[in-house]
Amino acid sequence: MATRLARKLPSSFSAFSSSTITKLTSGISPPSMSHGGPGLRCASSSSSSSSSTTTTGSNSSSSKREKKITDRLSAVIDAVNDRKLPPELRGQRNNVRSETDIINVVEQRIWHSMEEGQFENLAGKGKPLNLNTNPHADPAEDTLYRILSKNGCAPEWVELNKEIRNKVSEWRVALKKAWTSKCNGNDEEKWIERCESLKKQLRDINDKVFRYNLIVPFGRQMFGLKWEKEVARLEE
């Protein structure tokens, strides 16, 4: 820096040595040019703050849009669920605490209809019901059941149910006889032999029960037999 100042000075100041100029300018340092100087630093900081503000604004706007969409979907779901309710309960879904509230509304309608005489003079009143068709069954199954009924047959699970009940009844009679014979003081070995035979019959019955539960309509399943419970019943 001292050399540059010496070049710019006029000739009258040539007597000054470069060492003197160096001493005078030793405390002066050039402005820092890191990151483009102070002006550029201010520009960069302002640009970063503006970009962060823009990002924050875009995030808030996107969250608002998402909230609006969620609110609209919730309103649609509430409207659909509200339409499922009876007219007496629409618009007050918060008051419906359980299915019992809906059942009460149905019962009230039935009682009102009975009081108004709407159940009088119905078609088919006093006549036997037509049970040839089952409105709750699948049409294909209903047709199959009618064909079986006309030919004196029944579905497999009906026949299997009858067979299981007969087998269980016969098995319990045999168990009771063996238990009575044991209580009368007969040979213990005969009781053991009869127990083995009865347990084998019990397994056969439970196998039929298992097959029955696989083919029977829902809600008509039955429990198998347990040796301990059957013996405890006789001990009582």
Side-chain angles (χ1 to χ4, degrees), residues 28-42:
I28 303 172
S29 61
S32 176
M33 300 301 292
S34 62
H35 301 290
L40 291 178
R41 282 202 299 271
C42 294

Side-chain angles (χ1 to χ4, degrees), residues 213-232:
N213 289 337
L214 291 177
I215 62 177
V216 71
F218 179 76
R220 295 178 177 270
Q221 284 76 14
M222 63 169 59
F223 293 103
L225 299 178
K226 289 187 177 180
W227 175 262
E228 294 79 7
K229 285 187 176 181
E230 297 296 327
V231 174

Side-chain angles (χ1 to χ4, degrees), residues 41-210:
R41 282 202 299 271
C42 294
S44 62
S45 62
S46 62
S47 62
S48 62
S49 62
S50 62
S51 62
S52 62
T53 305
T54 305
T55 305
T56 305
S58 61
N59 291 336
S60 62
S61 62
S62 62
S63 62
K64 287 180 181 179
R65 284 197 302 270
E66 291 177 359
K67 185 176 183 304
K68 186 181 293 184
I69 294 172
T70 304
D71 293 341
R72 291 179 64 183
L73 289 175
S74 300
V76 171
I77 294 172
D78 290 341
V80 171
N81 291 332
D82 196 60
R83 291 291 297 175
K84 294 180 182 179
L85 296 174
E88 294 88 342
L89 297 176
R90 290 177 185 173
Q92 46 180 339
R93 293 181 63 251
N94 295 331
N95 296 331
V96 181
R97 294 178 297 276
S98 64
E99 189 178 352
T100 306
D101 297 331
I102 301 177
I103 293 174
N104 292 336
V105 173
V106 174
E107 291 180 350
Q108 289 176 6
R109 288 188 183 182
I110 293 173
W111 280 108
H112 288 321
S113 300
M114 291 175 63
E115 291 175 356
E116 294 174 0
Q118 296 182 12
F119 289 99
E120 300 295 333
N121 301 322
L122 295 176
K125 181 180 180 181
K127 298 179 181 179
L129 296 175
N130 184 10
L131 301 178
N132 293 330
T133 59
N134 183 3
H136 304 290
D138 182 74
E141 292 183 359
D142 189 40
T143 303
L144 178 61
Y145 291 155
R146 284 205 308 272
I147 294 173
L148 292 173
S149 178
K150 288 179 180 179
N151 291 276
C153 301
E156 182 183 1
W157 62 270
V158 174
E159 298 291 345
L160 191 57
N161 184 291
K162 293 179 182 179
E163 182 182 355
I164 291 172
R165 292 183 184 279
N166 292 333
K167 293 275 187 186
V168 170
S169 178
E170 294 173 1
W171 184 85
R172 283 176 173 166
V173 170
L175 177 62
K176 188 173 182 180
K177 285 183 179 180
W179 180 260
T180 303
S181 176
K182 176 197 173 188
C183 292
N184 290 334
N186 290 343
D187 192 1
E188 187 72 20
E189 292 182 359
K190 283 188 176 182
W191 163 249
I192 295 175
E193 291 178 1
R194 289 177 179 175
C195 284
E196 293 298 326
S197 176
L198 289 169
K199 286 181 179 179
K200 183 177 180 302
Q201 296 175 18
L202 180 68
R203 287 194 292 270
D204 294 339
I205 292 173
N206 285 337
D207 289 342
K208 292 182 181 296
V209 171
F210 180 76

